[in-house]
Amino acid sequence: MTGALNGVLEDRVLIVVPFMVLLLPLLGFVVLSLFGDAIQKQKEARGAGILACVLVLLSFGLSAWSVVRLLRLVGSPEGLRFSQPYLGFEWMEAGGFRVPVNLLVDALSGVMILVVTGVGGLIHVYSLGYMAHDEENVRYFSYLNLFTFFMLLLVLGGNLPLMFVGWEGVGLCSYLLIGFWFKKQSASDAGKKAFIVNRIGDAGLILGMILAYHSFGSLDLVEIADSARSLAPEAVGEFGVVTAVCLLLFVGACGKSAQIPLHVWLPDAMEGPTPVSALIHAATMVTAGVYMVARLAPLFVLSKTAMLVVAAIGTATALMAATVALVQTDIKRVLAYSTVSQLGYMFLACGVGAFGVAVFHLFTHAFFKALLFLGSGSVIHALSGEQDMRRMGGLRKFIPWTFATFLVGTLAIAGIFPLAGFYSKDAILAGALGEYGNVFFVVGLLTALLTAFYMARLLFMTFFGRYWGSEPHIHESPWSMLVPLVILAVGSAVGGFVNIPRFVEPVFRVPALHEAHPVWLPWVASLTAVLGIAAAYYLYVVYTEVPARVAGSLHGVYRVLQRKYGFDDLYNWIARRGVVEGSRTALWQGLDIGVIDAAVDGTGAAFRALARGARTLQTGLVRGYALVMLGGAVALVTYLLWAR
């Protein structure tokens, strides 16, 4: 009896905990929206921020409990039961179409909720110091909690419509947070840009969902994975239903995860507060596309065309963004293009079938990229808002804690042994080795070299040499900002030792990549990273006049990189010539004035002419009417005589 009772209680706990993980941040948003001003009481108080932090950290604690439970059940029959969708209530039902609110808790969503609530919680804590003097910090923390809720809904949703609600929710919150300082024109423009570009990607996602339901009869993620087993694979160049669904869904992933050609919104997202940049770039929104592709791995592996497209777009994006990062001078923009590049790495891993490795890099990237963004925020805080690296230098003497943690993050993303980035990047390169004639491997290795170079360049320009700025009161950040940096630095150092691929591979239901890495690969990858760092040291510490000469001799290439390959120029031209001027010429002058207005005005003119003709018959003179009557009588008599 006791065992049965414990089993019932445990089942109820298993059902309740995922909903508590999800709803605690939503509770924070609701409370702060309704009672935030009362909680804050005064301008310098931190009540609103503390409440937001506590609720997210509680959500992290419950997420950790869920993952520990998963670890205990891996490989056991109970583990399968635990990973089934938990039914909350019926959401929509129309004929045979039904969508329940069900949360899917398995190894993949477990890793994601740990990243979202763990790294997101540290960003919340960091914000206590960073946003302490902002007059709108109640609104800020309410948006952060709402963002966390929607991201958790995205990764926990057991079906595509529920995932889509979270997908659109983080899009809305990104607009609110990027444009948080909406009185600043560049911030409001960046928020609108992110919103519009993501709507383009979302159109593909919606079409993919419709086609998936039409083809498979279900939008449930588990059922789609199960039905994929019975489908025939499609070869390269074969555009069947599976390929069409996968490519449409990947369009949505490109928008959310900033892949070519929908990557242009992410660098401009830097206009928001720095903790927002860390939240969007490291732990939440931009990883949504990678998560969706990994979640639907059983479907994607059936289409060789889709897998090739995913790998090609990811590789091209990784290289493109890495080259643009070489010439950026804004410290946050370097990190922004770095994020675009690292997301390309993750899609490269997905495209070659290494889905577990993609999630592994997502996991390690969350630590070192959040660390780097928050570290840049600490630098900006110390310099009273300065973001141009050309006005920095020598800061390691003034802000040693920030420098030490930033150094760890830089070495981790560069792939230096034994930090986290070394293991996940090495695994991606190993997965790409031998695929498609080693093209992806070579480009991936070149991108790793560029990554080490531009990140070392950032480090040396910011923390080494002489100080070039004018700020007289450089100061270290408060401990509310430094403690998250230290924790993230520890995660960046040891995160690679967590065997994420083995933990999440059962979720994908596809053959795992367990081939041994070539012995030479780690050495080549490490040497590449060291060469990149050494080159940056040579150019930006030893011979600081050389970069200007190189830029002058390669002026054409330098300008192309500064113009970001012209993507923004192209889209501005399309918007101006195609949308604005096209609308003016074709829709306004052509359709509205030339057709609609002309039809209305022409109808009026015709009736006016008719009225002018009829007006001559209505003179008001009796003799005129008598004459008309006489003429009518004569005409009638003439007709009768003729007819007879």
Side-chain angles (χ1 to χ4, degrees):
M1 177 68 74
T2 303
L5 180 60
N6 289 338
V8 171
L9 291 175
E10 187 176 21
D11 285 343
R12 290 182 177 178
V13 170
L14 291 178
I15 294 174
V16 169
V17 167
F19 281 96
M20 292 180 64
V21 170
L22 178 65
L23 295 177
L24 281 172
L26 179 62
L27 175 64
F29 167 73
V30 172
V31 172
L32 291 177
S33 298
L34 297 177
F35 311 109
D37 291 337
I39 294 173
Q40 197 74 351
K41 290 184 179 178
Q42 55 186 358
K43 185 177 178 180
E44 298 296 329
R46 298 187 179 183
I50 291 173
L51 175 64
C53 293
V54 167
L55 290 174
V56 173
L57 292 176
L58 282 174
S59 182
F60 169 71
L62 294 173
S63 301
W65 180 90
S66 299
V67 173
V68 170
R69 175 69 179 166
L70 276 171
L71 287 170
R72 286 167 49 196
L73 297 179
V74 167
S76 69
E78 291 185 39
L80 295 175
R81 174 174 61 83
F82 185 69
S83 64
Q84 293 304 306
Y86 291 125
L87 177 63
F89 53 88
E90 203 73 23
W91 178 21
M92 291 184 287
E93 185 171 7
F97 179 75
R98 57 180 294 273
V99 180
V101 174
N102 57 347
L103 304 185
L104 180 58
V105 183
D106 58 11
L108 179 57
S109 59
V111 170
M112 293 300 297
I113 61 176
L114 273 183
V115 169
V116 172
T117 58
V119 177
L122 292 174
I123 293 170
H124 275 70
V125 174
Y126 179 94
S127 298
L128 288 175
Y130 194 87
M131 300 294 290
H133 303 294
D134 195 287
E135 296 180 354
E136 296 290 333
N137 56 9
V138 173
R139 178 166 62 91
Y140 171 81
F141 280 105
S142 69
Y143 288 169
L144 282 191
N145 271 191
L146 183 64
F147 193 107
T148 305
F149 161 73
F150 277 124
M151 189 64 198
L152 288 170
L153 181 63
L154 190 158
V155 299
L156 285 172
N159 54 67
L160 284 172
L162 198 58
M163 178 191 290
F164 185 70
V165 174
W167 190 280
E168 291 300 289
V170 294
L172 169 64
C173 291
S174 69
Y175 167 75
L176 296 173
L177 286 168
I178 294 169
F180 179 76
W181 290 317
F182 57 86
K183 294 180 181 178
K184 184 180 174 185
Q185 184 64 40
S186 59
S188 60
D189 289 345
K192 288 182 285 187
K193 186 176 183 179
F195 193 82
I196 293 169
V197 173
N198 273 277
R199 298 294 73 73
I200 297 172
D202 293 347
L205 179 61
I206 293 171
L207 293 174
M209 290 168 56
I210 295 172
L211 184 57
Y213 181 76
H214 176 75
S215 304
F216 310 131
S218 175
L219 292 175
D220 186 274
L221 293 170
V222 173
E223 292 179 5
I224 291 176
D226 289 338
S227 63
R229 297 180 179 181
S230 61
L231 299 174
E234 297 176 3
V236 175
E238 184 179 349
F239 290 91
V241 171
V242 174
T243 300
V245 170
C246 290
L247 290 180
L248 286 171
L249 294 176
F250 183 60
V251 171
C254 285
K256 197 65 72 183
S257 294
Q259 298 295 286
I260 292 174
L262 301 179
H263 65 283
V264 293
W265 69 270
L266 193 56
D268 289 352
M270 298 300 95
E271 293 294 338
T274 299
V276 170
S277 303
L279 189 67
I280 292 176
H281 285 244
T284 55
M285 179 174 170
V286 294
T287 60
V290 178
Y291 167 77
M292 182 186 68
V293 172
R295 171 62 72 187
L296 295 173
L299 195 63
F300 273 83
V301 295
L302 294 176
S303 171
K304 295 295 184 182
T305 302
M307 293 289 281
L308 178 59
V309 169
V310 171
I313 292 294
T315 305
T317 302
L319 180 61
M320 178 276 299
T323 54
V324 174
L326 296 174
V327 300
Q328 299 300 308
T329 55
D330 185 303
I331 187 171
K332 289 174 66 177
R333 283 193 175 269
V334 175
L335 297 176
Y337 279 102
S338 171
T339 298
V340 176
S341 181
Q342 296 303 305
L343 289 167
Y345 253 109
M346 298 175 205
F347 280 113
L348 166 60
C350 289
V352 297
F355 296 100
V357 173
V359 177
F360 185 27
H361 195 57
L362 185 156
F363 177 79
T364 60
H365 177 263
F367 286 109
F368 55 69
K369 186 50 63 68
L371 170 60
L372 292 169
F373 265 112
L374 296 184
S376 72
S378 183
V379 171
I380 295 167
H381 181 269
L383 299 179
S384 301
E386 181 60 66
Q387 296 184 201
D388 193 331
M389 296 186 298
R390 294 169 296 184
R391 298 176 183 173
M392 299 180 187
L395 294 181
R396 70 183 190 278
K397 297 175 292 186
F398 302 101
I399 46 176
W401 281 94
T402 299
F403 165 69
T405 54
F406 204 96
L407 176 63
V408 173
T410 300
L411 296 178
I413 194 174
I416 298 297
F417 178 85
L419 303 179
F422 168 80
Y423 295 98
S424 56
K425 275 193 176 182
D426 186 61
I428 292 175
L429 292 173
L433 191 62
E435 296 288 331
Y436 304 104
N438 287 325
V439 173
F440 296 146
F441 170 77
V442 173
V443 176
L445 194 62
L446 174 60
T447 303
L449 173 67
L450 297 177
T451 301
F453 178 83
Y454 68 68
M455 286 305 307
R457 169 181 176 265
L458 185 156
L459 182 76
F460 295 140
M461 289 183 68
T462 304
F463 294 100
F464 287 75
R466 57 164 292 191
Y467 177 59
W468 296 95
S470 58
E471 172 58 43
H473 304 296
I474 304 174
H475 55 282
E476 185 63 277
S477 299
W479 280 105
S480 60
M481 295 169 63
L482 291 179
V483 169
L485 292 180
V486 173
I487 296 174
L488 289 168
V490 173
S492 300
V494 304
F497 296 104
V498 182
N499 197 344
I500 294 295
R502 188 171 296 278
F503 180 57
V504 299
E505 274 171 358
V507 175
F508 305 129
R509 308 183 188 186
V510 298
L513 296 178
H514 287 306
E515 296 181 5
H517 295 186
V519 177
W520 53 265
L521 181 57
W523 293 96
V524 171
S526 298
L527 179 61
T528 300
V530 171
L531 286 175
I533 295 173
Y537 182 81
Y538 174 84
L539 292 174
Y540 293 96
V541 176
V542 181
Y543 298 102
T544 54
E545 73 283 356
V546 173
R549 293 208 304 264
V550 173
S553 61
L554 299 175
H555 177 71
V557 176
Y558 187 79
R559 181 168 177 77
V560 168
L561 297 181
Q562 276 198 320
R563 304 296 297 181
K564 297 163 285 189
Y565 290 94
F567 280 101
D568 282 309
D569 296 333
L570 173 63
Y571 295 157
N572 287 336
W573 182 86
I574 292 173
R576 184 179 67 254
R577 297 292 299 274
V579 178
V580 178
E581 295 182 10
S583 298
R584 180 187 297 116
T585 303
L587 298 180
W588 175 37
Q589 297 176 345
L591 181 61
D592 191 24
I593 296 178
V595 177
I596 298 175
D597 287 356
V600 174
D601 295 343
T603 302
F607 278 99
R608 282 196 301 271
L610 182 62
R612 282 195 298 269
R615 187 173 60 188
T616 59
L617 302 177
Q618 301 290 332
T619 61
L621 299 175
V622 175
R623 64 177 181 271
Y625 297 150
L627 182 61
V628 171
M629 292 172 63
L630 177 61
V634 170
L636 180 61
V637 170
T638 302
Y639 171 75
L640 292 174
L641 291 174
W642 176 81
R644 196 172 223 183

